[in-house]
Amino acid sequence: MSTTTEDRSRQAESPLSDPEFRETLRELPPSAKLVAKVLEDARPLSQGQLAEESLLPDRTVRYALNRLEEESLVESRYSFYDARKQVYFLVA
């Protein structure tokens, strides 16, 4: 699989490449680390989408998101597609 220039620049911009971000993430539970990794592609996802992509139960994803939000590693906003849902993304 080849990596395009766009893919490389996206990876370079990832908050997961920031040492301070990684150090904070290191102290969190494995579920929070997995959720952060799923969010790494910078595409905002809902809690349900995160559960589907990470294969974690909804309750575990909610706990992981709460921990990530407490540490200011993740933020949320209302979805443009469905204003009843919130989507989550990593904070750069």
Side-chain angles (χ1 to χ4, degrees):
M1 181 189 298
S2 66
T3 305
T4 65
T5 304
E6 184 179 315
D7 290 338
R8 276 189 236 115
S9 66
R10 179 179 279 193
Q11 289 171 352
E13 296 172 5
S14 171
L16 289 177
S17 63
D18 176 30
E20 188 176 320
F21 187 98
R22 291 176 68 84
E23 188 58 37
T24 304
L25 189 61
R26 190 179 318 267
E27 304 300 320
L28 296 178
S31 60
K33 293 173 186 162
L34 178 57
V35 168
K37 187 67 176 167
V38 170
L39 287 172
E40 183 179 21
D41 70 1
R43 183 175 49 124
L45 296 171
S46 69
Q47 181 181 341
Q49 290 169 318
L50 283 165
E52 187 175 308
E53 291 203 23
S54 67
L55 303 177
L56 293 171
D58 287 335
R59 188 176 188 169
T60 303
V61 170
R62 178 78 248 148
Y63 173 73
L65 288 169
N66 284 335
R67 294 297 307 272
L68 289 164
E69 285 180 315
E70 287 171 5
E71 297 295 332
S72 301
L73 300 178
V74 166
E75 288 184 356
S76 64
R77 65 168 167 76
Y78 288 102
S79 171
F80 295 133
Y81 301 106
D82 185 349
R84 297 170 296 175
K85 295 182 180 181
Q86 287 193 326
V87 291
Y88 299 87
F89 53 93
L90 295 178
V91 177

